[in-house]
Amino acid sequence: MSDLLLRVSNLKTVIGSGDSPVRVVDGLDLEIRRGETFTLLGESGCGKSMSALSIMRLLPMGGHIIDGTVELDGVDLLKLPEQEMRRVRGGRMAMIFQEPMTSLNPVMSVGKQIAESVQLHDNLRGAAITKRVVELLDDVGIPDPERRAQEYPHQLSGGMKQRVMIAMALAGRPELLIADEPTTALDVTIQAQVLELMGRLKREYGMAILQITHDLGVVAESSDHLAVMYAGQVVERASCRGFFNKPLHPYSQKLFDSLPTEQKRDRPLSVIKGTVPPLDSQFIGCRFADRCDHVFDRCRSEVPQWDLLSEGQGVRCHLYDQIDPKVGTLCLPTETVVEPCEQEKRDKPTLLSVSDLKVHFPIYKGLFKRTVGAVKAVDGLSLAIKEGRTLALVGESGCGKTTVGKAILQLIRPTAGSAKFDGDELTQLSRSALRTRRRDMQIIFQDPVSSMNPRMLVGDIVAEGMVAQSIGVDHADRQERVERLLEQVGLPVSAINRYPHEFSGGQRQRICIARALAVNPRLIICDEPTSALDVSVQAQILNLLKSLQSELGLSYLFITHNISVVAYLAHEVAVMYLGRIVEQGTVEEVLQTPAHPYTQALLSAVPVPDPERAKERIHLQGDMPSPAVPPVGCHFHPRCPQATDLCKQAYPDRVVLSDTHTVYCIHTER
Amino acid sequence: MGFRLSLAILLAWALAALFGPLLPLAPNQIELAQILTPPSGSELLGYDDLGRPLLDRLLVGARISFSVAFGVVLIAGSFGVVVGTLSGYFGGLFDLLIMRIIDIFLAFPGILLAIALAGVMGPGIDNLVIALSVVGWVGYARLARSQVLSLKQRDHITAAIALGSSEWIIVTRHLLPLIAAPLIIEATFGIASMVIAEAGLSFLGLGVQPPDASWGSMIRDGARYMLVAPHMVMVPGFAIMLIVFSLNLLGDRLRDKLDVRSNRTE
């Protein structure tokens, strides 16, 4: 048995046929050793998932492999008849996907679904199968496996479902587990649980993992070797340590530069210009040439070959050619113009102050729709935003942060509490007064696709608010303003007469920002505006938001789950758990000296793109409870590592740590 | 190929309906010598039991079926869309009330209700259109309502509210254009079923009164002579079949073209 488990060489996969098939994978070479975690890293659309599906021979309709070999333990999988390939799938190689919701059959109990794959790969019968199912569920860390096996997918949380998927994959005791963005759809604390589980299983089962991800933090946490993919090709291959010490390819370096971090607060993030080239075109030079800062003549005329620099490390870039080494010019990070940090604006007047805000959604039951309870999405929340400042509202999915944003804008009428904007009580405003007031407060959504009407021209979309608020004298005047706005957000003026679907995700988000700016707002609520975007595009949007803030003095309520974005952008942070704020303070206070156990756990769960930094991780058990029946006492006590009996008795009082820093936990020292 | 043919058939139907009165037709002219003459080279579609030319009667009947079908779909469709859109958008008690009314309408078999209504109001084309519209609007209302309900949650509607746009703007610019595609498809199939409904009611004597011709009444007249002169039934029957088939084909094609859901799988 050799050390080498999987060798992929010169794999080429196309989708479609005819004159210009899309070459989604174009000459992929990989080597995966037994027991290691190998990561394919890259942004969306670069061919990572297609590579994995090609290895499994599970390509979608219209996709086929035209060249190359995939050798598992010396056997070329591409030459196997389908019958034998079926035994390899699930038996020697198994796969888990990003969306555990859609990967499970909703009308079968999870135990039965796991039993199916157990039956396929083990010669077991009757009670032995059940026993093995329970064993597998226990292996993936599901508490009370006998009972859970009887349950249906909708009764399990996202993290549980992903564990079930892993259990199914383990049923055949695979030698290689392919994990396609296994934690992308999960919250950070759950992501940390799943990553740890995969690491443990890898050791126990002695299997190798081929992991696909776009998250540098996840890579640093879990992998041994990695390959960076760009436009269907591997552009760099390295050991995890080597890569994080010194990324070689300009694209890899750009990925690091565009990550938002605290250290980059004072300057704009570096961005990758342009977009990924269409994969159905013929490349005569380097695929990255048009977007590269270090491009020179040869890049455009000659396809760079693979340069093996040392054992296991290689790069596809002319800069590293032996003939014409230009490495020396590269290692300096491109220093962008450093804007002086603005003066701390603590004495600025308060623009928005929310106190004791409650949003309860009633639960109806029975024929007469009796109210039997309420989902307390937001349950007594207070916050304040000063002019020209950014308050980040941080929390995991389901904690009610989006509802807060909508309730402040009165898009959902709050059940109780007050929201004062510049002295006006928003909850008391009449409909017409509120409609006029809306020009001061705008919102940007997570999904730029659904936040624009697909049947409206971009010009009309941006002008919509001006029409509604009667800004501008006539159509021509508004059109002129639209042109200025588009320029301001970095879009060509020609966009006016085009439809939203003609733009990329980042560009669409710019259109949404322009639409919000059109009414001259003073506060913009940003509801996860970058979480649907790639890292390099996220950097562009964050830069734009930051420069707009310093130009126009905007205030932001930035709703997010991404801690590194908070560190880069926010002035103040409020951490939310189950409808309430558990800790609030300036960004330094909350991120450097977190006082609440939940904040501490949340921060420790965030994967850091630095494999050297060993850190103490606080593991949270279980999932967030339902906001319909929050735990008695402190909401966090069932998951809290520091919980005592006292925590179960009453919700903790506010503890003031400094002028700005407050926390709700009885264990905090004043 | 089949699609082109069906478009040609529908075009011929529309032309006959629109320009029929300009043609020198004599649908009620009795030629006693030609009674029950089957179709032939010179007589085209033949004559009926009273010696009236079937071709002329067919063309006149096309006008009836065309105007009834389009009239009903237009009236029922616009009323249903307005009611359904408002009901879905505003929700609450209004929505509850509308939905219960729709449930009551759906509790009756549609055509039976139309027969009863037409019977009470008396025969005639206008009463036929009214009766079929009263039965037909519920389908459009339900479709429009369900589309609006799913659209209402989309971020661009929320953004429009956040910008302070009026309800009128939201309904006309953000909702109606986006629900148009499924409604147009539904209307195409609706026209087909109205052609059949009109023929059915005329067959029962509730539509056009003798001696005027409609496809349904032509079939009724011919039914008595089915064994001796089958062409009397076959001519209008075949016309109905061709029109309905073409409309359904057009509807399928429109669904493929307009429906976002089937396009997305590409």
Side-chain angles (χ1 to χ4, degrees), chain A residues 205-222:
Chain A
Y205 280 69
M207 62 183 176
I209 296 179
L210 170 59
Q211 176 178 261
I212 292 171
T213 185
H214 66 278
D215 187 332
L216 285 168
V218 170
V219 181
E221 297 277 314
S222 55

Side-chain angles (χ1 to χ4, degrees), chain B residues 218-241:
Chain B
M218 285 167 74
I219 294 182
R220 181 184 53 179
D221 293 344
R224 273 171 280 162
Y225 301 93
M226 194 116 84
L227 293 178
V228 275
H231 68 277
M232 274 183 70
V233 181
M234 282 165 68
V235 166
F238 203 60
I240 294 173
M241 195 197 81

Side-chain angles (χ1 to χ4, degrees), chain A residues 192-193 195-196 221 601 604-608 615-619:
Chain A
Q193 291 174 4
L195 284 181
E196 196 215 22
E221 297 277 314
S604 81
V606 176
V608 181
K615 54 178 187 175
E616 193 102 349
R617 171 158 293 167
I618 304 163
H619 288 290

Side-chain angles (χ1 to χ4, degrees), chain B:
Chain B
M1 179 54 216
F3 177 64
R4 292 252 178 93
L5 189 69
S6 69
L7 270 190
I9 289 168
L10 293 177
L11 195 70
W13 183 44
L15 286 178
L18 294 174
F19 300 107
L22 303 179
L23 298 175
L25 296 176
N28 298 330
Q29 179 78 43
I30 294 171
E31 297 274 348
L32 290 176
Q34 301 278 18
I35 285 177
L36 295 180
T37 313
S40 66
S42 56
E43 314 298 346
L44 287 170
L45 295 180
Y47 290 80
D48 71 357
D49 56 331
L50 297 176
R52 296 175 294 192
L54 277 180
L55 176 65
D56 294 23
R57 292 183 72 76
L58 191 74
L59 290 176
V60 172
R63 187 174 170 80
I64 305 283
S65 76
F66 187 86
S67 48
V68 169
F70 273 85
V72 170
V73 168
L74 217 65
I75 295 172
S78 36
F79 183 72
V81 169
V82 169
V83 170
T85 307
L86 296 181
S87 169
Y89 185 69
F90 291 106
L93 208 62
F94 176 66
D95 182 41
L96 199 73
L97 194 73
I98 295 290
M99 282 317 285
R100 292 298 85 79
I101 292 174
I102 289 178
D103 285 346
I104 292 170
F105 269 92
L106 287 174
F108 295 98
I111 197 81
L112 217 61
L113 188 61
I115 290 171
L117 280 171
V120 170
M121 291 187 293
I125 296 203
D126 13 357
N127 287 345
L128 197 71
V129 171
I130 294 172
L132 288 172
S133 301
V134 166
V135 179
W137 68 275
V138 284
Y140 299 96
R142 277 170 64 98
L143 183 65
R145 177 179 174 272
S146 68
Q147 295 284 325
V148 167
L149 281 184
S150 70
L151 272 178
K152 201 164 81 161
Q153 304 300 328
R154 281 177 62 114
D155 288 340
H156 66 86
I157 309 265
T158 315
I161 298 173
L163 287 167
S165 296
S166 64
E167 263 112 20
W168 172 251
I169 294 272
I170 291 172
V171 169
T172 53
R173 299 209 64 181
H174 287 278
L175 288 175
L176 289 181
L178 296 186
I179 64 173
L183 284 168
I184 289 170
I185 296 161
E186 174 78 3
T188 315
F189 291 121
I191 291 171
S193 64
M194 282 309 122
V195 168
I196 294 181
E198 182 271 330
L201 291 181
S202 294
F203 182 84
L204 296 172
L206 292 168
V208 181
Q209 293 304 297
D212 288 336
S214 107
W215 292 352
S217 61
M218 285 167 74
I219 294 182
R220 181 184 53 179
D221 293 344
R224 273 171 280 162
Y225 301 93
M226 194 116 84
L227 293 178
V228 275
H231 68 277
M232 274 183 70
V233 181
M234 282 165 68
V235 166
F238 203 60
I240 294 173
M241 195 197 81
L242 275 183
I243 295 295
V244 171
F245 187 72
S246 305
L247 280 168
N248 284 336
L249 215 63
L250 180 72
D252 281 341
R253 182 59 83 94
L254 278 178
R255 169 151 46 204
D256 294 348
K257 285 271 180 228
L258 294 179
D259 202 350
V260 197
R261 262 158 297 176
S262 54
N263 276 352
R264 203 170 276 170
T265 51
E266 283 180 351

Side-chain angles (χ1 to χ4, degrees), chain A residues 369 406 409 411 431 435 438-439 441-443 445-447 449-457 460-461 464-469 515-516 519, chain B residues 90 96 100 151 153-170 173-181 258 260 264:
Chain A
K369 301 265 174 86
K406 290 193 172 163
L409 291 185
L411 295 169
R431 281 164 70 95
R435 193 169 282 169
R438 289 202 181 284
R439 69 172 64 183
M441 315 167 285
Q442 278 305 309
I443 185 165
F445 300 95
Q446 172 176 4
D447 178 12
V449 179
S450 80
S451 55
M452 281 185 282
N453 185 342
R455 297 278 162 94
M456 270 165 84
L457 290 169
D460 295 334
I461 291 173
E464 195 179 359
M466 292 189 239
V467 175
Q469 298 291 347
R515 171 175 65 186
V519 292
Chain B
F90 291 106
L96 199 73
R100 292 298 85 79
L151 272 178
Q153 304 300 328
R154 281 177 62 114
D155 288 340
H156 66 86
I157 309 265
T158 315
I161 298 173
L163 287 167
S165 296
S166 64
E167 263 112 20
W168 172 251
I169 294 272
I170 291 172
R173 299 209 64 181
H174 287 278
L175 288 175
L176 289 181
L178 296 186
I179 64 173
L258 294 179
V260 197
R264 203 170 276 170

Side-chain angles (χ1 to χ4, degrees), chain A residues 258-291:
Chain A
S258 56
L259 274 186
T261 62
E262 207 180 334
Q263 291 78 37
K264 298 180 194 157
R265 271 184 80 93
D266 300 341
R267 56 185 155 113
L269 297 169
S270 119
V271 298
I272 309 180
K273 59 195 177 205
T275 51
V276 181
L279 293 177
D280 55 354
S281 49
Q282 289 287 345
F283 296 100
I284 42 166
C286 172
R287 292 169 190 222
F288 190 59
D290 288 338
R291 309 179 69 189

